[in-house]
Amino acid sequence: MKVAVLGAGAIGAYVGAALHRAGVEVHLIARGQHLQAIRSAGVRVLTPRGDFVAHPHATDDPAQVGPVDHVFLGLKANSYAASGPMIKPLLHGTTSIIAAQNGIPWWYFHGLKGPHEGYRIESVDPGGAVTAALPLHRAIGCVVYAATEIEEPGVIRHLEGTRFSIGEPTGELTVRCTAFSEAAVAGGLKCPVERDLRRDVWIKLMGNIAFNPISALARATMAGICRHDGARELVVAMMRETVEVARRVGCDPGISIERRLRGAEKAGEHKTSTLQDLEKGKPLELDVLLAAVVELADLTGADVPTLRAIHAVSDLLNENLVRAV
């Protein structure tokens, strides 16, 4: 198996290091000081499960890698539309693209039987630009239940979780999914192949849709939001509206809001990726979290006043960030 990790940041480098440890031919595509550190000393993973170092090939040029069996996409979703030139050299006839993203994926309605089959979510895939870069037939979904961060260039701090659930948009159990899952498990990860990955998408989104924008607006950690009575009530309202939208597009997350809150509280004084991006002055990855669900609410007639309000103010914050860049 040959795997390229495009966007070998905190999650991408962690997965790449695990796959390399399992004997997979791994190529990390990164940049800057992080790339230089990996080239000189490998990827050092600091984890409660036992620290290790992996030495996969690393480059900033996908053309040096050539076609692979799987592209593991560690980019932010708001970078997908522009990723085509980086992806193209990595593809052969059956290459899969495994996109580890938060929120609603561009492939969501691909192969989903029902009234909305084939619907393109404009806020996620504007003008079809993401689909053009990442063809639907290559897509394998991936929901990440792991927290990592780049402690310093070339050094990944693994905080919690090792689960990377994957699945075909069509719900089929395919050889390409099984092969990748087996390699990931051999490298020390949990990688179940799910027939209904959309349920995982919504379970993860129940937390992200509330905690990510609120953390940026309030500059608060996960635990800090949960401790504040008013903010906690806001989270509950956003989760309730999100579940309603999920059900209207045919998916019941099947998890209580209180249980989802308890899971978030366990993260402690953790800064969401959105808050981390804000502190670095980077654009916020909110279209796939908030805008997409508001769009699906419009599509299905769901009433989501809280989501609309938070979307408006967080979108304004993001516009100001983009303008400043």
Side-chain angles (χ1 to χ4, degrees), residues 262-295:
R262 288 198 300 270
E265 282 179 309
K266 290 179 182 177
E269 303 303 330
H270 173 64
K271 293 182 179 181
T272 69
S273 59
T274 304
L275 176 55
Q276 292 178 48
D277 286 342
L278 175 68
E279 292 179 340
K280 295 172 184 175
K282 294 182 178 180
L284 308 181
E285 189 185 30
L286 293 176
D287 286 344
V288 294
L289 300 181
L290 265 170
V293 179
V294 171
E295 182 178 338

Side-chain angles (χ1 to χ4, degrees), residues 14 47 49 145-147 158 160-164 188-192:
Y14 174 61
T47 170
R49 299 162 60 86
Y145 295 94
H158 172 228
E160 61 176 356
T162 60
R163 182 178 162 196
F164 293 78
L189 305 178
K190 295 178 181 177
C191 190

